Amino acid sequence: MSGGSWTTLVVTVLIVIVLLVTAVLVSRHTGGDGTGTSAPALVVGDSVVALAARAAGGAEGGGVAGGGAAGAPAGISVTDGVRARSSGMAGTVRLIGYPGLSPEVFDGTSSPLLASDLRSAGRPRTVVLNWNGNNPRQLLGTSLIVDYRTELTSQIRWYLGHGVTRVVLAAALPSLVNSADRQVDVSSPLSAQPGAMLGSGRLNEMYRQLAGAFGGRSVRYSEQAARAIHPSLGFNTTLDGRPCVIDFIHPTPYCATRYARALAALAHDPDGT
């Protein structure tokens, strides 16, 4: 083989190596499946998510805007600007909360809010769902759990059919009435009272089972975000010597900001602990 041919071969091999290394680095950075700190992500939930979004927007300078279609309950969305700035990544997380509502807000998958929220987040590959037990129709606890499971099953299938590759079911936060050492009986009439199902351990048990029902890596259950402000998953009113809870479940601005960061971290690293 001539000297020129050898030079061409070496250059070609070097180019191939560079391309392969670049591909590996990009794959590691984004999680290989559209996840990672450079990829957009979406967090959807109730008033706890709305408070986290508002706290992050006020404390960190993220943009806060109304979400959802006209005539629909206002969702609150915020770009996780601090994470993007501190890590040097372009990835953002949208937090959208529907105060006082449940997964039923999407009416299975028929509501235009579902697609609207996904578009507003830049058509992400990762979606975190964080519903903490609102019961607007005052159903018996057992019925509410069935209702949540039915709605979430339909929505997860919709997400997975519209470009999302990972769905995380984030544990409901513990509350004054549902904590590590006490739980409202989900079969009792008391469970239908306002606030009685917030933070229910039975809800979290259902989330874990639902994630398992999908199998594989596409859907998982996580307590990571909840433990960021309730380390033992027991209801506590203070954290780091500061007030953490406003009422029976909603976090103070300090804990709401921590919770927003934890949700963003979970969205960017759905396989994290």
Side-chain angles (χ1 to χ4, degrees):
M1 184 177 291
S2 66
S5 297
W6 272 111
T7 301
T8 301
L9 178 60
V10 170
V11 171
T12 301
V13 170
L14 288 174
I15 291 173
V16 170
I17 291 173
V18 169
L19 291 175
L20 288 174
V21 170
T22 301
V24 169
L25 291 175
V26 170
S27 177
R28 287 180 179 177
H29 179 61
T30 63
D33 58 355
T35 64
T37 55
S38 67
L42 172 65
V43 179
V44 178
D46 47 37
S47 55
V48 172
V49 176
L51 282 174
R54 185 178 291 120
E60 313 300 352
V64 179
I76 302 170
S77 60
V78 62
T79 297
D80 181 33
V82 158
R83 186 176 181 87
R85 287 198 301 271
S86 63
S87 63
M89 307 302 178
T92 58
V93 176
R94 286 284 181 186
L95 277 70
I96 302 179
Y98 294 93
L101 300 178
S102 70
E104 195 177 38
V105 65
F106 296 114
D107 192 18
T109 59
S110 63
S111 170
L113 291 175
L114 204 60
S116 174
D117 289 350
L118 200 63
R119 285 194 303 271
S120 76
R123 301 191 180 280
R125 305 291 292 279
T126 300
V127 173
V128 176
L129 304 177
N130 182 213
W131 297 99
N132 291 277
N134 282 326
N135 189 2
R137 289 195 290 146
Q138 297 186 23
L139 300 173
L140 197 67
T142 49
S143 298
L144 182 72
I145 292 170
V146 171
D147 187 70
Y148 267 53
R149 178 162 187 146
T150 299
E151 293 286 333
L152 289 173
T153 298
S154 296
Q155 290 161 27
I156 290 169
R157 287 174 177 161
W158 186 91
Y159 283 125
L160 295 177
H162 287 77
V164 174
T165 59
R166 304 300 303 279
V167 177
V168 182
L169 295 168
L173 293 178
S175 71
L176 180 63
V177 294
N178 290 297
S179 185
D181 59 348
R182 57 188 176 277
Q183 293 285 316
V184 171
D185 182 352
V186 297
S187 64
S188 73
L190 178 62
S191 65
Q193 296 299 309
M197 287 296 291
L198 291 173
S200 173
R202 290 289 297 276
L203 266 180
N204 286 339
E205 180 182 336
M206 182 273 288
Y207 292 154
R208 185 182 290 106
Q209 293 173 351
L210 179 56
F214 277 87
R217 298 177 65 249
S218 59
V219 183
R220 68 180 293 258
Y221 165 77
S222 175
E223 297 173 350
Q224 175 182 322
R227 290 184 183 277
I229 60 174
H230 295 288
S232 66
L233 285 187
F235 180 74
N236 55 268
T237 58
T238 62
L239 184 70
D240 301 332
R242 301 189 184 191
C244 190
V245 179
I246 296 171
D247 47 26
F248 42 83
I249 192 171
H250 296 103
T252 60
Y254 173 71
C255 279
T257 300
R258 285 180 60 100
Y259 195 57
R261 289 176 178 272
L263 288 171
L266 179 59
H268 279 313
D269 184 16
D271 290 319
T273 56

